[in-house]
Amino acid sequence: MTGYGQFCPVAKAMELLDERWTLLVVRELLAGSTHFNEIRRGNPRMSPALLSKRLQTLERAGVVRREENGPRSCYRLTASGQELRPVVEALGAWGMRWVGELGERDLDPHLLFWDMRRTVPVDRWPRGRTVLLFVLDGVRPATSRWWLVVSGDEVDVCDTDPGYEADATVRAGLRTLVAIWRGDLTWRHALRTSSVTLDGPRDITARIPEWVGAMTLADVPRPGAPTQGRAAGPQWAHEPTPGGPD
């Protein structure tokens, strides 16, 4: 590990944390991932070899603790690692506020649906199994169809047909869906401009915005951002959301 040659505690902290992917690994652990493959699903473009290396570095630094749980290893943050929560949250808020532009490479459906899986507000869903099919326009066929399956408190996301009939279908471009998830665009605006279409029974499609929700940083205000189509607080709080374009 290359050092900065400074006694400054910021420099010493960055000697550990500014290696590529390191804080994103910590982000996944803070979000509740404990197994290697779960951490990878949150960082789908990170190679397994590099993830292993970063976990080993964090373990040696006392930030991560590895536990053997039968045939599988679990990774958990130590007290030192948990102290990084406000750091990661502040970086996320700063990035949302000041670094808003997204390139095509930033639009990753794997990360989008994995993030949905771990933050979807299950208390708003019916207790029985409900299946939403998302069809993404303008992406490779292999990544164009995703199923969100919620049954009680259990949530799963699949990129292959899970064998359950979809209760409703959401069709949108990947960029549009990412913008909604980030809070850059409201469901209402997307539906009225036909950027998103919903197919299914009215009693289900009307609740999809509430069921899906948004990422945890979606409410961070962005200075100078246009208000047209922007989310301001919960997107379903003001009036019923249309089931399709007006």
Side-chain angles (χ1 to χ4, degrees):
M1 184 186 303
T2 303
Y4 290 102
Q6 293 188 11
F7 62 80
C8 169
V10 174
K12 298 306 294 179
M14 292 305 291
E15 286 177 2
L16 171 67
L17 298 176
D18 75 348
E19 286 191 295
R20 192 165 186 244
W21 296 103
T22 296
L23 272 180
L24 297 186
V25 172
V26 173
R27 178 199 68 190
E28 292 306 303
L29 292 165
L30 286 168
S33 295
T34 58
H35 293 105
F36 189 90
N37 286 338
E38 291 175 340
I39 301 169
R40 272 212 74 208
R41 290 190 74 175
N43 292 303
R45 291 177 176 157
M46 187 181 191
S47 72
L50 184 55
L51 175 55
S52 292
K53 182 178 179 181
R54 292 293 182 264
L55 285 169
Q56 290 167 10
T57 299
L58 289 169
E59 189 177 1
R60 286 195 301 269
V63 175
V64 167
R65 179 179 65 255
R66 178 175 175 170
E67 302 173 353
E68 299 302 327
N69 184 13
R72 304 179 70 187
S73 297
C74 294
Y75 298 90
R76 303 186 190 280
L77 292 169
T78 63
S80 166
Q82 287 291 345
E83 282 193 19
L84 290 171
R85 181 179 296 277
V87 176
V88 173
E89 290 175 349
L91 276 173
W94 185 88
M96 185 69 85
R97 187 175 293 116
W98 299 109
V99 190
E101 185 174 348
L102 299 178
E104 290 301 316
R105 183 171 168 75
D106 299 322
L107 306 177
D108 187 341
H110 297 88
L111 177 58
L112 171 63
F113 287 101
W114 180 247
D115 204 25
M116 282 188 186
R117 175 191 177 276
R118 63 190 176 194
T119 58
V120 66
V122 293
D123 57 309
R124 298 177 186 147
W125 290 64
R127 291 292 83 193
R129 184 173 59 223
T130 305
V131 181
L132 298 183
L133 168 61
F134 291 80
V135 180
L136 303 181
D137 298 325
V139 301
R140 294 183 297 110
T143 60
S144 65
R145 297 169 73 85
W146 295 79
W147 287 261
L148 183 63
V149 183
V150 178
S151 181
D153 293 329
E154 299 295 321
V155 183
D156 199 9
V157 62
C158 310
D159 58 1
T160 58
D161 192 338
Y164 306 126
E165 182 178 356
D167 295 289
T169 300
V170 181
R171 182 181 293 272
L174 177 57
R175 181 175 288 275
T176 296
L177 206 55
V178 168
I180 291 172
W181 185 243
R182 283 170 43 93
D184 298 325
L185 182 68
T186 64
W187 279 95
R188 179 167 303 282
H189 184 78
L191 289 165
R192 285 182 170 168
T193 59
S194 298
S195 299
V196 174
T197 58
L198 306 178
D199 296 316
R202 171 70 180 179
D203 61 329
I204 293 178
T205 59
R207 298 196 64 190
I208 286 176
E210 177 186 359
W211 287 350
V212 173
M215 70 185 303
T216 56
L217 293 170
D219 288 339
V220 172
R222 276 139 277 190
T227 57
Q228 178 66 26
R230 270 288 315 280
Q235 299 180 42
W236 52 84
H238 306 296
E239 53 181 314
T241 302
D246 289 344

